[in-house]
């Protein structure tokens, strides 16, 4: 039977925490009752340096039932880091981890389906929103554009999936080989490979408290996504440089023609051509340097170059 851990990052969540914990406990007990998960499954709250009573509440819940555990970080490290801490701390204790936000905007009733897919042999099961009704028009529009851009930049990303997913212990073990510090988990998880599946659900509105992600945080996460998954923006510089340099050649031909037609001012031809030529060459040079920086960047991440799933040898 699957030993399931549920990892929940929390930052100043005193308003929702009790309610969420009870719903999660109810769900987990129901699953244990049905025999879908083992009775030593747990819910683990990761307190990301909250300044309110979050940790106190986690402590109380832990006293009430050993099914609830808590991890406290020394200070606020951000959602992605708190979640990673949960995944890495717990990966050796269970068969699979489901990660979910403390506000339970994601539907806990798809846990069963996630476990089913896991038992069918999927190592990663992504929770994907079917509708975005609970979002503002702006959030829907920007999210759609964003996924388009990311896909264009060559990142493998699951559309409309945030950080609600199940990962098997072995997928987590492979994931632990990714040592980068700039985290955009939803973009990195697909890199571990293995068989994966998606389950869809309708995302609800936050019941209590408010979103811990301001517009500024959202933009920061979006930029993080692009810059930690792709070095194509740098390559773009070289392309633009080349383009402008080509324009300068066209300008050269044009100005020569004008010159021989006698229709130019003195000095105009050389000036016009050099502006484009220098601009283009400079951008091109920056692009070349960027190309190397991109390589250095990828080297410093030291990502695993491959992950072995099975090795059929003749030991047995
Ligand atoms: N969170 C965190 N650290 C932070 C900010 C947020 O651990 O610095 C947690 C938060 O408690 C919640 C999850 O990350 O469980 C997602 O935050 P939120 O629901 O506010 O984001 P939204 O749903 O608005 O995108
Ligand atoms: Mg939320």
């Amino acid at each position: 039977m699957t030993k399931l851990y549920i990892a929940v990052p929390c930052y100043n969540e005193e308003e929702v925490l009790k309610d969420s914990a009870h719903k999660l406990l109810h769900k987990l007990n129901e699953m244990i009752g049905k025999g879908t998960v083992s009775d030593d499954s747990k819910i683990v709250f990761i307190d990301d340096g909250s300044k309110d009573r979050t940790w106190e509440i986690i402590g109380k819940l832990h006293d009430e039932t050993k099914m609830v555990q808590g991890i406290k970080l020394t200070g606020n490290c951000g959602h992605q880091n708190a979640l990673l801490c949960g995944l890495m701390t717990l990966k050796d204790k269970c068969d699979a981890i489901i990660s979910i936000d403390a506000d339970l905007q994601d539907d806990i009733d798809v846990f069963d389906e996630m476990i089913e897919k896991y038992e069918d042999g999927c190592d990663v099961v992504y929770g994907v929103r079917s509708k975005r009704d609970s979002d503002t028009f702006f959030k829907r529009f920007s999210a759609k554009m964003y996924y388009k851009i990311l896909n264009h930049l060559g990142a493998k990303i699951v559309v409309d999936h945030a950080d609600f997913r199940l990962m098997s212990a072995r997928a987590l073990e492979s994931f632990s080989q990714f040592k980068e510090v700039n985290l955009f988990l939803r973009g990195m998880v697909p890199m571990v490979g293995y068989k994966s599946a998606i389950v869809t659900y309708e995302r609800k509105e936050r019941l209590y408290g408010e979103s811990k992600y301001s517009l500024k945080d959202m933009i920061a996460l979006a930029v993080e996504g692009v810059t930690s998954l792709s070095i194509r923006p740098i390559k773009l510089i070289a392309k633009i440089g080349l383009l402008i340099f080509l324009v300068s050649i066209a300008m050269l031909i044009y100005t020569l023609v004008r010159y021989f037609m006698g229709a130019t001012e003195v000095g105009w031809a050389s000036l016009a051509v050099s502006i484009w030529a220098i601009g283009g060459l400079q951008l091109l040079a920056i692009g070349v340097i960027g190309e190397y920086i991109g390589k250095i960047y990828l080297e410093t991440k030291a990502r695993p170059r491959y992950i072995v799933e099975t090795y059929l040898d003749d030991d047995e």
Side-chain angles (χ1 to χ4, degrees), residues 9 11 13 48 76 79 101-103 105 203 206 211-212:
Y11 179 58
E13 296 285 9
D48 185 18
N76 182 236
H79 175 211
D101 290 350
D103 53 13
Q105 285 183 276
R203 188 164 151 112
R206 193 185 244 277
S211 171
K212 306 291 179 273

